Amino acid sequence: MREILPALERWYSDRTPFGLATVVAVSRSAPRGPGAAMAVGPDDEVVGSVSGGCVEGAVFELAQEVVASGEARLESFGYSDEDAFAVGLTCGGEITLLVRPVTPGTDPVFGSVAASVGAGEPVTVATVVDGPAPRGAARAVWADTASGTLGTSGLDAAVTADARGELALGATVLRHYGPRGERREDDVTVFLQSFAPPPRMLVFGAIDYAASVARIGDFLGYRVTVCDARPVFATPKRFPTGVEVVVEWPHRYLHSTGTDERTVICVLTHDPKFDVPLLEEALRRPAAYIGAMGSRRTHDERRERLAEAGLTEAELSRLRSPLGLDLGARTPEEVAVSVAAEIVALRWGGTGRPLTATTGAIHPPAAV
């Protein structure tokens, strides 16, 4: 929803009904995951996508129907359906969509959710998908407050507790409850969709490769910071708009900066006085990816220095060095693609091999 938020906010503030389709479940090689969204607004304006083009035509009609009826619908598309080819889902897999009408009357918490998502404030939205509860009813849950109801106080309480747990993880899942929130029952299906702030990419070393890595990091949705101790190199004009540029010794900056399990750290300094103390700090804190640029000889020497500094074998094993996949990259832009490819492969458990050399599902279930 983050991608289509401007249009949704405009329609909502104008009190114009729109149909919102959200992927709530997938199987096999579905092209987009849970949380992908598409909306149909006034004058048949369409924003977003739920399948990369496979079923958008059918979803367009569904969205129009739910706006006209005022009632949410749950629909699945895939090879298991008799009309799979009719709606165009010829790429394999199955997706289940919740399609619901959205207005200030049908969804009074949408405005607050949109404001939080736009501001980067963490929030989880719980929506009834199926069962003996109002389908499409939504409850927004923040760290210290909640708004909206799913039909009963018991269900609200149980879902709120679970939503806060998912919010801490930034996770999006389906949960099952009884009509009054009973945890050992599965009559009511609720979709918990978490909106966490964008993950961070920390790029150390304002060399010529850094601008390309920062640009592709921004493209992938990271909040990018470039840090270098040399003010002559660490200047905003050398980097894409929106990239934060910090003049500071890398290890000092990292020591004062929070990271989490989604943070990406790219060390491009390949200078021992910068990268050894920096990696000593990085390898002892949470991060999804820690990569360092340099030749294999540089890597061996760097690893020896880090071991001498007291890092354990387990800590050293987290280092991706030389960083990137073997694409034969030469230019800064090509190297940035190589680095991004390794980050994506590590995130989703990809092999980095050509798809022609692999078998099975193209989009396997996420490893995390």
Side-chain angles (χ1 to χ4, degrees), residues 205-248:
I207 63 172
D208 49 356
Y209 292 94
S212 295
V213 172
R215 184 175 295 109
I216 204 166
D218 180 68
F219 176 75
L220 291 174
Y222 288 92
R223 181 163 67 91
V224 183
T225 298
V226 176
C227 175
D228 198 303
R230 302 163 295 181
V232 67
F233 295 115
T235 59
K237 65 181 182 181
R238 298 185 63 224
F239 297 95
T241 302
V243 171
E244 179 186 29
V245 180
V246 175
V247 179
E248 177 60 280

Side-chain angles (χ1 to χ4, degrees), residues 40-54:
V40 178
D43 300 321
D44 295 338
E45 182 180 354
V46 179
V47 292
S49 171
V50 292
S51 71
C54 295

Side-chain angles (χ1 to χ4, degrees), residues 59-83:
V59 176
F60 175 80
E61 295 179 359
L62 275 173
Q64 290 180 314
E65 291 173 8
V66 300
V67 169
S69 68
E71 297 182 358
R73 290 175 57 179
L74 187 68
E75 298 285 346
S76 294
F77 299 101
Y79 278 129
S80 59
D81 295 339
E82 294 180 359
D83 59 351

